[in-house]
Amino acid sequence: MSMSAIYILDVKGKVLISRNYRGDVDFNVIDNFMPLLIEKEEEGYCTPVIHTESCTFSYVKHNNLYIVSTTRKNCNIALVFVFIYRMIKVMETYFKEMEEESIKDNFIVIYELMDELVDFGYPQTTEGKILQEFITQESHALESQQPRIPVAVTNVVSWRSEGIKYKRNEVYLDVEECVNLLTNTKGSVLQNEVIGSMRMKSYLSGMPDLRLGLNDKVVFESSRKTKSKLVELEDVKFHQCVRLSKFENKRQISFIPPDGEFELLSYRISTHFKPLICVEPIINVHPSSRIEYIIKIKTQFKRRSVAKSVEVSIPVPADVDSPKFSTVVGNVKYCPEDNALVWFIKSLPGAKEYLMMAHFNLPSIRAEEADSKPPIQVKFQIPYFTVSGIQVQYLKIIEKSGYEVLPCVRYTTKNGDYQIRIK
């Protein structure tokens, strides 16, 4: 893979900053990018790759920016996009948000980063924490001695520096799953999926080697097992520190972790599962008089689990007034600024059902109603629970100094885009 140049453009196509790495493509070819993009959008055929006779544009739109790579040779386009997203992550490590203002305020640092990220069109160091060791945002007086480049830049383990020391060695692993759900007006599931991730906070001295084992209830996409009651993890993505060969052979996740916080792996589950929280609305409208809501909430997970901070947001007409509520659990609030009725439940156990009733007056003369109504939105968190049933069986830490660490593993399931359509 080799890139000719990288450009960062604003939404109008103006070049904010750029770097020409190979010189094999006319540097002004970027002037053609925005007209081509607009043309493709008008045709309704817009792709992240645009081919021309002079070069190939590969781009990602991020916030109010376009990050564009030009290539002349036939390269691995997937790796180009991996690099662009790694570049965005590095910029966010430095500036928290990669947007037009942060680019304009940090030209010097960004030019230094672009020189270290790529050499003659080939990606080099793309780990933000390693780059921060020798490219800083602070000014320094000129010194006769050149700054020492971290060994990690040229080392096999490019994501971790040597000589890291902590008085107290700690490891935290958070397994988090976000549930996306969409049901129709009859309660049938139109879409359900789980987006999962394992995020680790590693504060370990030296160069530790970690080995992590998972339970047998989950099976990875690459495995050909078809046993029942197994949950298949799809689109599995590992951090670059994971030794993939050991995982494929032993199903063991073996790695030397970066220092600090990072995402060890992410995955998706499209296997059909019951909605964790069902909301069944009954809406009775008496024109020019009143509107009544009967909302039943039902949990479909095990009794020993408890959903926390549950919010059920039910849309109501914009012209209702005189709200009255009745419920045996939680509390209800009318939010006129959002045209919504919100039911708050601090703690909701599994395998339970509760009702909430609401009453509003309607004006005698009403505006015409829109054809489509916004869906009910549900928010929740379920600690110590995962939809997939994934569990960490062991997490071993091996380091030559022999220090002992007690890892902390936490599980959480929460809502993603969780919607119930209403009539």
Side-chain angles (χ1 to χ4, degrees), residues 197 214 216 368 417:
S197 69
L214 301 176
D216 295 331
E368 292 185 7
D417 190 9

Coordinates of all heavy atoms in Angstrom, one line a residue, residues 197 214 216 368 417:
S197 N -18.3 -4.6 22.9 CA -16.9 -4.3 22.9 C -16.3 -4.7 24.3 O -17.0 -4.8 25.3 CB -16.7 -2.8 22.7 OG -17.2 -2.0 23.8
L214 N -12.1 -16.9 27.2 CA -13.5 -16.7 27.2 C -14.3 -18.0 27.4 O -13.7 -19.1 27.1 CB -14.0 -16.0 25.9 CG -13.4 -14.7 25.6 CD1 -13.9 -14.2 24.2 CD2 -13.6 -13.7 26.7
D216 N -17.3 -20.9 26.8 CA -17.7 -21.7 25.6 C -19.1 -21.4 25.1 O -19.5 -22.0 24.1 CB -17.6 -23.2 25.9 CG -16.2 -23.7 26.2 OD1 -15.3 -23.0 25.7 OD2 -16.1 -24.6 27.0
E368 N -54.3 19.6 12.0 CA -54.2 18.3 11.3 C -53.0 17.5 11.8 O -51.9 18.0 12.0 CB -54.1 18.4 9.8 CG -55.4 19.0 9.2 CD -55.3 19.0 7.7 OE1 -54.3 18.5 7.1 OE2 -56.2 19.6 7.1
D417 N -29.9 2.2 19.9 CA -31.1 2.8 19.3 C -32.3 1.8 19.5 O -32.5 0.9 18.7 CB -30.8 2.9 17.8 CG -31.8 3.8 17.1 OD1 -32.7 4.3 17.8 OD2 -31.8 3.9 15.8

